[in-house]
Every structure is written in C-alpha cells, then in structure tokens.
Amino acid sequence: MTRVFVVGILALAVWVVWPGENGQLVWAQEDEQTLFVRLLDSATEAPVTDLMAEDFAVWQAGVECELVSAELVSPRLQLALVLEESAWMTNYRTHLRNGMPQLLDALPEGSEVSLIATDPPSSRIPLDFTTDMALVRERFDEYSPWSGSVNRMLDTLHRTADNLMKKEDGEEGVPEGGALRPVIAVIGSNGVDASAGQTEKVDTLMPKLSDLQATVHWLTLETVSTERFGVPGVAEFFTSSTGGRYDRVATVSQIAAEKMALMGATIAQQHALRGAQYRVVF
C-alpha cells in the first residue's frame, strides 16, 4: 500500500515523544496542527480522492507524529468583499458598478459572498454571507461613495477577521473543524484612512489572518498623489504574506472594471487549486 508522507515544519508547539511500534519514536503535541494537502496522480495529473487516514504519515524532524485525522474536503469559497465608500472613490463609482458583475460571474458556483463597508453606520451595502448572487448584486446597487463617509480600512479589516473567527455560538476562535481559509478582497483608494494606531493594527492583523489561513487580494484605485498608510506597501505586505494578489489603477478609467474582473478570475483560479484537498490533523 502506498503511503503519503507529509513533512511538518512547525514552530511554537509543545511535543511529547514515546516509543511506537517496532521501537520507532512517535511525536505528539499539546496543540493540534492542521495541514492541507492536494495530491495529483503522476500519470494523469487528476486529483487523488480515494485515500484513507491510514494512508497518511506526518513527520517532524525525522520522527513520525501522532496522526489525529485525514479527510478529503472541498470547501465552498467564502469571499468577504471589503469596499471603501469614501469621497475618494466617487469618480470610480460607475467603473465599480460595471466591474462588480464581472467579478461575481468569475466566481465558482455556490460561492458565499459578503459585502463589508469601511464606514458601516452610514452605508447601505453591508450584507452577510450568502450564495444568492442576485441579492449581492441588488445590495451592491446601493453602493454610493459620498463625502460624509469615513474610511477606516484597517479597522474594517480587523472587524472582518474578528467576525470570520467567531464560532457559531459567538465565542472567539477558529470554528471547529479547522481554519476557514476565507478570501478577503479589498477594493479601495489611496486616500486618507481614519483608523487610529495604524502601525499597531498592521502588526496585530497578520496573526488573525494566519489563524484563519485567509488569503487577501487588494485592488487600489488611485485618486491622489499621497499614499494612505503606506499603500502600496501595506497592501503588498498583506497580499504577499497570504498568497493573494495586489493590483492598482493609476487613474480613473475603465481599467478599474477590467481589474475587478481579473480579481474575480484570480480568486476562482486559486480556489480551484484548493479543491479536493485533504485536511490532515496531527
């Protein structure tokens, strides 16, 4: 029988060692760890989907770890769309309305999408996760940048991550069954961000994204010469650190709609690569 060997590269874990069968050492740890593995048939390059837990072995530092479970998962795409509605976005309004249908059409069937505004008290677009794309389109029709809307992008990203980490009972922490691996897609300007303590918020957001195994994609629609909290630096940091894609439009044009379509296609392509994966817990 062929076994799949997974090499675990872990940090900050507490390990216990004991002799296993045939005198081999076996590692255990106080905190369970999760790896996602996608396997392809070497001859056909088709995904392998018929393996059982006993077909897997996880090794750390040359020693076999205790395997808790290994199961095939094909998670539904969960996309949180974070949209800025400040006055900086006013001239892009028509292009966003043209681009949003293209972005949504590119997503795989059955995707869950939520709409998140950077100034929710004054916004009419916030929408919880739904698979009803008609409802998403209808709600996005309410998108309307205006001078009274305050852009708090970093605050919004923290709020988004916190909400994604809530369990069904409302308690904090990654939901049971492992990380959600959601996608966060940001569409905003390079105007002023009203979030306070931005340096600290950048530093504290990344651990949340890591816990969720979230991927961040970011499209900056530029309108001013000054850069908001280091954009593109911060945007590139979050996208490159999570495996996402950073893009920008230098001036108001129809290119914005094309970039939104590309964002949707990129998200769909990445999700396809995550299909038929094994979640290995050890």
Side-chain angles (χ1 to χ4, degrees), residues 29-222:
Q29 58 190 48
E30 291 189 357
D31 296 322
E32 291 182 356
Q33 301 289 328
T34 301
L35 290 176
F36 288 87
V37 182
R38 187 169 187 259
L39 304 170
L40 300 179
D41 186 287
S42 59
T44 65
E45 296 190 356
V48 177
T49 59
D50 59 351
L51 297 179
M52 307 296 289
E54 55 265 26
D55 296 323
F56 289 82
V58 182
W59 292 74
Q60 164 70 16
V63 180
E64 187 171 3
C65 304
E66 178 189 18
L67 184 68
V68 177
S69 64
E71 60 180 342
L72 185 69
V73 293
S74 295
R76 173 182 293 168
L77 172 63
Q78 190 174 46
L79 172 63
L81 267 172
V82 178
L83 303 164
E84 179 182 335
E85 285 188 294
S86 74
W88 302 108
M89 299 290 285
T90 301
N91 292 334
Y92 280 101
R93 178 181 177 182
T94 298
H95 300 305
L96 260 68
R97 290 195 169 188
N98 292 336
M100 184 57 70
Q102 299 178 59
L103 190 160
L104 297 176
D105 286 344
L107 302 179
E109 186 176 355
S111 297
E112 289 186 347
V113 177
S114 70
L115 299 179
I116 300 166
T118 54
D119 189 18
S122 62
S123 176
R124 292 174 291 182
I125 67 168
L127 179 67
D128 202 356
F129 283 104
T130 178
T131 58
D132 187 345
M133 293 300 105
L135 178 59
V136 176
R137 294 168 190 262
E138 179 182 339
R139 186 62 59 87
F140 183 75
D141 284 342
E142 300 294 325
Y143 178 79
S144 183
W146 66 297
S147 59
S149 178
V150 179
N151 175 37
R152 298 185 177 89
M153 182 61 74
L154 281 174
D155 287 341
T156 303
L157 292 175
H158 270 275
R159 173 166 50 86
T160 300
D162 290 341
N163 288 338
L164 286 169
M165 293 182 70
K166 286 183 178 178
K167 302 178 182 179
E168 291 185 0
D169 56 9
E171 294 183 359
E172 299 296 328
V174 176
E176 186 127 5
L180 291 170
R181 308 193 80 189
V183 177
I184 300 173
V186 180
I187 301 177
S189 75
N190 63 331
V192 177
D193 180 9
S195 302
Q198 294 176 14
T199 300
E200 179 183 358
K201 284 175 179 171
V202 169
D203 292 339
T204 55
L205 178 58
M206 194 61 230
K208 297 179 182 180
L209 299 176
S210 297
D211 286 345
L212 288 165
Q213 295 190 21
T215 302
V216 177
H217 299 269
W218 198 309
L219 175 60
T220 299
L221 306 179
E222 299 184 357

